[in-house]
Amino acid sequence: MLDSSILSSVHGGKTPFPAGSEIVCGNPLCSVTFTPSGIAASPKRFCAPSCKQQASLLRRAGKLLEALPDEQAIEIL
């Protein structure tokens, strides 16, 4: 049988956010707020996996378009 003190140390990871706080999804196109979770080394920043993927696509597209003149980037979009 497991001692409860062992489990409390395993589940005692600290989060980088105060208890009861809410954060806005890290996707700039999403405004969903949620209770953060995860350990301090890798906190949850997105409300859903699809939002995480969208944010990644936006960052990559932005990197590709930043070398172009504004007019050409707007034409592509």
Side-chain angles (χ1 to χ4, degrees), residues 51-71:
C51 275
K52 184 176 183 177
Q53 184 178 19
Q54 264 187 349
S56 173
L57 290 170
L58 288 171
R59 278 192 306 274
R60 290 187 296 172
K63 284 285 187 190
L64 290 171
L65 295 175
E66 74 182 358
L68 300 175
D70 290 344
E71 296 81 22

Side-chain angles (χ1 to χ4, degrees), residues 31-62:
S31 61
V32 171
T33 59
F34 61 94
T35 305
S37 63
I39 58 173
S42 59
K44 182 177 174 184
R45 294 182 18 220
F46 301 95
C47 65
S50 59
C51 275
K52 184 176 183 177
Q53 184 178 19
Q54 264 187 349
S56 173
L57 290 170
L58 288 171
R59 278 192 306 274
R60 290 187 296 172

Side-chain angles (χ1 to χ4, degrees), residues 10-35:
V10 170
H11 297 292
K14 303 237 187 223
T15 64
F17 306 101
S21 66
E22 287 192 344
I23 60 170
V24 177
C25 182
N27 181 352
L29 301 177
C30 181
S31 61
V32 171
T33 59
F34 61 94
T35 305

